[in-house]
Amino acid sequence: MTTRNFGIQRLRATASTGIGLAAGVAMVLASQRPVLNALRARIECLEQAAHDQRKTNFAHQQRLHWELLSKAMDDPELAEVLDAYDGTVPPRKQRQFLFANAVYTNAFCYYRMGNMSREEFFGFARSMLSNPIFREYWYATRPHRAALIQTSEEAKVGRMVDDLLAQLEEADFDEWWVVGEPPSE
């Protein structure tokens, strides 16, 4: 009987120790909760700051892009540096293409920043494609878009504009504003 009592006492001692250990762990976790919540809040704050910095950098890059294109549009010698058409586009037309690129890039950046929905970008593209110079620019830059990584957002948006242009060519161009179905987000 003594052996049996000893086994029960040992079992009680082990259970008591386990309960005490669990209670201790629970107390430590409860005391650490404010620290963990503060760390989680700090991480969220840093992630938001990083997101904001990326948007700021993106906007700054867009500004630099515009400044470079503006210089090329103003100076035919500088525009020659950006001649991606193998000399087949006259200087005046090339400056128009540079401006079309700047307008398109501005809208695309606006979209990527989240300031314009995909549907709004679609409407912008439909409007721009009603302009013959922009359509000519879009055709001339098709090989440039073909070099994009096909899974990139820029390539996907480019294909959306290509599809819209094909639809516009098949439609009655007098009613360009109703052609095409805006894509779902």
Side-chain angles (χ1 to χ4, degrees):
M1 197 60 137
T2 308
T3 307
R4 192 173 199 189
N5 284 340
F6 180 71
I8 291 173
Q9 287 174 352
R10 201 158 140 199
L11 194 60
R12 283 183 187 155
T14 303
S16 170
T17 302
I19 291 171
L21 183 60
V25 168
M27 286 177 56
V28 167
L29 288 176
S31 69
Q32 295 298 316
R33 182 168 292 291
V35 172
L36 293 174
N37 287 340
L39 287 173
R40 187 174 297 117
R42 180 69 177 140
I43 288 170
E44 288 173 5
C45 180
L46 289 172
E47 287 174 345
Q48 183 61 45
H51 176 73
D52 292 346
Q53 185 61 50
R54 280 191 299 274
K55 283 179 89 171
T56 299
N57 291 347
F58 197 67
H60 182 67
Q61 181 60 41
Q62 183 184 1
R63 166 65 97 189
L64 291 174
H65 179 258
W66 170 250
E67 288 175 11
L68 291 170
L69 288 180
S70 292
K71 288 181 181 190
M73 286 183 278
D74 292 341
D75 185 339
E77 290 178 6
L78 294 178
E80 288 176 18
V81 173
L82 298 177
D83 183 0
Y85 312 102
D86 299 325
T88 59
V89 176
R92 179 176 182 269
K93 182 66 70 177
Q94 186 176 6
R95 283 192 300 280
Q96 290 173 332
F97 283 6
L98 290 172
F99 187 74
N101 175 267
V103 170
Y104 176 79
T105 301
N106 180 62
F108 179 71
C109 290
Y110 205 63
Y111 162 71
R112 285 205 42 204
M113 286 179 180
N115 296 334
M116 177 188 293
S117 70
R118 194 171 182 93
E119 187 175 336
E120 289 170 319
F121 186 88
F122 184 84
F124 159 81
R126 184 169 39 203
S127 171
M128 290 307 298
L129 289 169
S130 72
N131 180 290
I133 295 170
F134 188 86
R135 282 195 311 276
E136 189 178 352
Y137 155 77
W138 196 255
Y139 283 125
T141 56
R142 183 169 281 158
H144 307 160
R145 288 187 304 284
L148 296 171
I149 296 171
Q150 294 304 299
T151 56
S152 72
E153 188 66 20
E154 189 173 359
K156 291 175 186 176
V157 169
R159 285 192 298 275
M160 177 186 76
V161 176
D162 286 340
D163 292 344
L164 177 58
L165 180 56
Q167 292 172 37
L168 284 166
E169 288 175 340
E170 294 172 4
D172 179 9
F173 209 71
D174 292 336
E175 296 183 8
W176 60 265
W177 58 90
V178 295
V179 173
E181 188 65 32
S184 59
E185 295 289 326

